[in-house]
């Protein structure tokens, strides 16, 4: 039974890990913004490098099940900040949404690069 639902289990665990990392970034960010944390560039680098490594070493389905749910809480938090902020707010939630969405798209691109590297060295 676990083998049949392996990718769903991986996705749930990855989503929880992404939520915890977003929470940690929000705690260390300026005014509670996760994208204004000093650790955010390091998280971006780790996700992008992890996309390449996952693309090389695991199947595409497993890599998507790991990376996309990990990056999903950040756009959700940014949209939530935009919905709950007062109308005269500063509008920084748009910047958070754009950066986190670009991170998710680039992580899929890095995963594709890793898959291409794996196919290039295939016999």
């Amino acid at each position: 039974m676990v083998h049949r639902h392996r990718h769903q289990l991986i996705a749930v665990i990855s989503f929880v890990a992404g939520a915890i990392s977003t929470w940690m970034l929000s705690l260390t960010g300026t005014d509670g913004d996760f994208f204004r944390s000093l650790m955010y560039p390091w998280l971006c680098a780790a996700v992008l490098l992890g996309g390449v490594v996952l693309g090389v070493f695991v199947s595409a389905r497993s890599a998507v099940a790991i990376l996309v749910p990990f990056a999903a809480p950040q756009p959700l938090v940014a949209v939530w900040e935009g919905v709950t902020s007062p109308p005269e707010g500063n509008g920084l939630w748009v910047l958070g949404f754009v950066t986190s969405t670009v991170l998710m798209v680039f992580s899929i691109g890095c995963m594709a690069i890793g898959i291409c590297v794996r196919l290039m060295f295939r016999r």
Side-chain angles (χ1 to χ4, degrees):
M1 181 166 158
V2 172
H3 183 65
R4 184 180 345 156
H5 302 292
R6 178 173 49 114
H7 290 104
Q8 291 90 347
L9 182 65
I10 290 171
V12 168
I13 292 171
S14 178
F15 185 79
V16 169
I20 291 171
S21 69
T22 304
W23 175 69
M24 287 179 9
L25 289 172
S26 294
L27 288 179
T28 59
T30 306
D31 295 331
D33 294 329
F34 64 89
F35 58 92
R36 295 172 72 184
S37 172
L38 292 176
M39 295 187 319
Y40 193 67
W42 293 100
L43 176 85
C44 291
V47 167
L48 297 178
L49 186 62
V52 173
V53 170
L54 286 171
V56 170
F57 290 112
V58 301
S59 69
R61 190 173 182 184
S62 296
V64 169
I66 293 170
L67 276 181
V68 173
F70 183 79
Q74 294 173 5
L76 294 175
V77 167
V79 169
W80 180 257
E81 287 176 0
V83 169
T84 59
S85 67
E88 64 275 353
N90 54 10
L92 278 178
W93 70 271
V94 176
L95 180 64
F97 181 74
V98 169
T99 57
S100 58
T101 305
V102 166
L103 174 65
M104 186 183 300
V105 171
F106 281 8
S107 68
I108 294 171
C110 286
M111 187 175 33
I113 290 170
I115 291 170
C116 290
V117 168
R118 179 179 58 196
L119 293 176
M120 192 169 55
F121 290 108
R122 182 188 262 182
R123 292 183 186 187

